[in-house]
C-alpha cells in the first residue's frame, strides 16, 4: 500500500505555507509518516528545497516577498526533479493572489494544483463567487477541473463534497469525507501535504493524488465517528492518519 511506501521512505516535504496552518500540516504529515520542514527565508529556501523530496507552496497568508521566495525554492525543486504541489488559497479573493499564482505557474513546473472550486475557477478565468478563502458557489466542478488542467497543463484537484482529479482531458471523482473537515482550519492544506508525500513514492500522478485524497477522506470519516465536534475531530483525524486505508 502507498502509505507503507511513504512510511518506509519518510519523505522530507518542504513547506512554504501559510502561518495559520503550519502546526496542523506538520503534525498531520508526521502522523502519515513523512517529515516536515517549514522554511521560508529567501536566503535558504533553495538549499532546503534542493535537499527535500517534495515542495508545497501555499499562498494562504501571502506577502509580496513570498512570491519570489516560492519561485526560488521551486526552481531548485525543478532542477532536482522533485514534485511541487501548489495550493492557491483564496486565489479568487484578490487580483494580487491571482497574479501571484499566474507568475508561479508560468515560471515553475508544478506537478499538482489543489484547491476548492472557487480557487481553481479563478485560475481558469471562470466567474464564481468567493468569500475570503472559501467558495460560495460550487459551479460545475468537473468542468472547472478540466479547464484549469488544460490551461495550466498539469494535474488539478478540485476539492468539495465530490473531489475531482483532472489531467490530460480525463478526470476521476471521489466522494468520501466528512463535513467536519470544513470546520477545521487547515484541513484542506493538510490534504495538499499528503498529496505531496504520495508524489514522492509514485510516478503516476493521478494514482498518487487519488490515493492521498481517498486515504485522507476515509481517515476523516473514521475521525468523525470518534469525535464530538470540530475540536475532538481534529485530534482524532491526526490519530487516524497513522492508520491504514
Amino acid at each position: 500500500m502507498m502509505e507503507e511506501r511513504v512510511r518506509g521512505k519518510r519523505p522530507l516535504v518542504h513547506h512554504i505555507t501559510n502561518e495559520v496552518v503550519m502546526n496542523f500540516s506538520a503534525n498531520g504529515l508526521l502522523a502519515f509518516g513523512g517529515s516536515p520542514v517549514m522554511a521560508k527565508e529567501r536566503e535558504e529556501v533553495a538549499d532546503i528545497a534542493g535537499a527535500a523530496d517534495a515542495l508545497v507552496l501555499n499562498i494562504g497568508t501571502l506577502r509580496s516577498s513570498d512570491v519570489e521566495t516560492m519561485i526560488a525554492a521551486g526552481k531548485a525543486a525543478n532542477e532536482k526533479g522533485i514534485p511541487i504541489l501548489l495550493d492557491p488559497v483564496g486565489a479568487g479573493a484578490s487580483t494580487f493572489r491571482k497574479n501571484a499564482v499566474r507568475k508561479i505557474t508560468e515560471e515553475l513546473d508544478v506537478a499538482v494544483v489543489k484547491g476548492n472550486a472557487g480557487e481553481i475557477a479563478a485560475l481558469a478565468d471562470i466567474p464564481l463567487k468567493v468569500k475570503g478563502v472559501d467558495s460560495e458557489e460550487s459551479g460545475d466542478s468537473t468542468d472547472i477541473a478540466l479547464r484549469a488542467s488544460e490551461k495550466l497543463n498539469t494535474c488539478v484537484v478540485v476539492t468539495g463534497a465530490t473531489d475531482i482529479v483532472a489531467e490530460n482531458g480525463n478526470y476521476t471523482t471521489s466522494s468520501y469525507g466528512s463535513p467536519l473537515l470544513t470546520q477545521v482550519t487547515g484541513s484542506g492544506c493538510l490534504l495538499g501535504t499528503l498529496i505531496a508525500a504520495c508524489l514522492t513514492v509514485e510516478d503516476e500522478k493521478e494514482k498518487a493524488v487519488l490515493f492521498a485524497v481517498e486515504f485522507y477522506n476515509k481517515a476523516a470519516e473514521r475521525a468523525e465517528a470518534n469525535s464530538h465536534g470540530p475540536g475532538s475531530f481534529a485530534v482524532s483525524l491526526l490519530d487516524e492518519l497513522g492508520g491504514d486505508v
Side-chain angles (χ1 to χ4, degrees), residues 96-178:
F96 167 65
R97 288 172 184 261
K98 187 174 179 179
N99 288 341
V101 172
R102 180 177 291 115
K103 184 175 177 62
I104 291 168
T105 54
E106 286 175 351
E107 296 202 27
L108 301 179
D109 180 7
V110 176
V112 178
V113 178
K114 179 213 69 72
N116 63 38
E119 292 161 351
I120 302 300
L123 306 187
D125 296 319
I126 300 171
L128 207 65
K129 286 184 179 180
V130 297
K131 184 177 182 180
V133 300
D134 297 318
S135 176
E136 289 194 315
E137 297 178 313
S138 59
D140 185 336
S141 295
T142 300
D143 180 59
I144 290 169
L146 288 168
R147 288 168 65 178
S149 176
E150 180 180 8
K151 182 171 183 177
L152 299 173
N153 192 31
T154 193
C155 180
V156 168
V157 183
V158 175
T159 59
T162 297
D163 299 306
I164 314 293
V165 180
E167 188 173 25
N168 297 325
N170 300 310
Y171 71 92
T172 306
T173 66
S174 178
S175 299
Y176 299 102
S178 165

Side-chain angles (χ1 to χ4, degrees), residues 1-11 13 29 32-35 194-202 211:
M1 299 295 288
M2 201 175 301
E3 76 275 17
E4 294 173 350
R5 291 156 59 191
V6 170
R7 291 162 190 167
K9 182 172 183 174
R10 195 167 177 77
V13 181
L29 180 59
F32 187 54
S35 178
L194 266 59
I195 292 173
C198 288
L199 290 170
T200 71
V201 297
E202 176 55 58
F211 176 86

Side-chain angles (χ1 to χ4, degrees), residues 1-244:
M1 299 295 288
M2 201 175 301
E3 76 275 17
E4 294 173 350
R5 291 156 59 191
V6 170
R7 291 162 190 167
K9 182 172 183 174
R10 195 167 177 77
L12 179 65
V13 181
H14 178 195
H15 296 69
I16 301 179
T17 190
N18 85 71
E19 286 88 343
V20 177
V21 307
M22 282 185 180
N23 182 268
F24 195 58
S25 293
N27 284 333
L29 180 59
L30 285 168
F32 187 54
S35 178
V37 58
M38 308 292 180
K40 62 186 300 183
E41 182 58 50
R42 176 67 179 81
E43 284 75 11
E44 71 170 354
V45 291
D47 291 338
I48 300 294
D53 297 297
L55 173 64
V56 172
L57 303 177
N58 179 309
I59 70 166
T61 51
L62 190 70
R63 301 179 181 87
S64 295
S65 58
D66 293 336
V67 179
E68 292 304 325
T69 298
M70 290 180 175
I71 290 172
K75 287 182 176 179
N78 283 164
E79 288 176 4
K80 187 183 176 185
I82 67 171
I84 300 173
L85 181 290
L86 174 62
D87 195 335
V89 177
S94 70
T95 301
F96 167 65
R97 288 172 184 261
K98 187 174 179 179
N99 288 341
V101 172
R102 180 177 291 115
K103 184 175 177 62
I104 291 168
T105 54
E106 286 175 351
E107 296 202 27
L108 301 179
D109 180 7
V110 176
V112 178
V113 178
K114 179 213 69 72
N116 63 38
E119 292 161 351
I120 302 300
L123 306 187
D125 296 319
I126 300 171
L128 207 65
K129 286 184 179 180
V130 297
K131 184 177 182 180
V133 300
D134 297 318
S135 176
E136 289 194 315
E137 297 178 313
S138 59
D140 185 336
S141 295
T142 300
D143 180 59
I144 290 169
L146 288 168
R147 288 168 65 178
S149 176
E150 180 180 8
K151 182 171 183 177
L152 299 173
N153 192 31
T154 193
C155 180
V156 168
V157 183
V158 175
T159 59
T162 297
D163 299 306
I164 314 293
V165 180
E167 188 173 25
N168 297 325
N170 300 310
Y171 71 92
T172 306
T173 66
S174 178
S175 299
Y176 299 102
S178 165
L180 286 174
L181 285 168
T182 64
Q183 298 181 44
V184 177
T185 297
S187 61
C189 301
L190 176 51
L191 172 59
T193 293
L194 266 59
I195 292 173
C198 288
L199 290 170
T200 71
V201 297
E202 176 55 58
D203 292 333
E204 292 185 39
K205 280 197 290 183
E206 184 179 350
K207 184 177 179 180
V209 171
L210 189 60
F211 176 86
V213 168
E214 296 200 337
F215 184 98
Y216 185 64
N217 285 328
K218 288 178 181 178
E221 290 181 352
R222 297 193 301 271
E224 180 184 7
N226 296 320
S227 67
H228 305 286
S232 56
F233 171 77
V235 174
S236 184
L237 179 59
L238 294 179
D239 290 338
E240 293 295 340
L241 290 176
D244 300 321

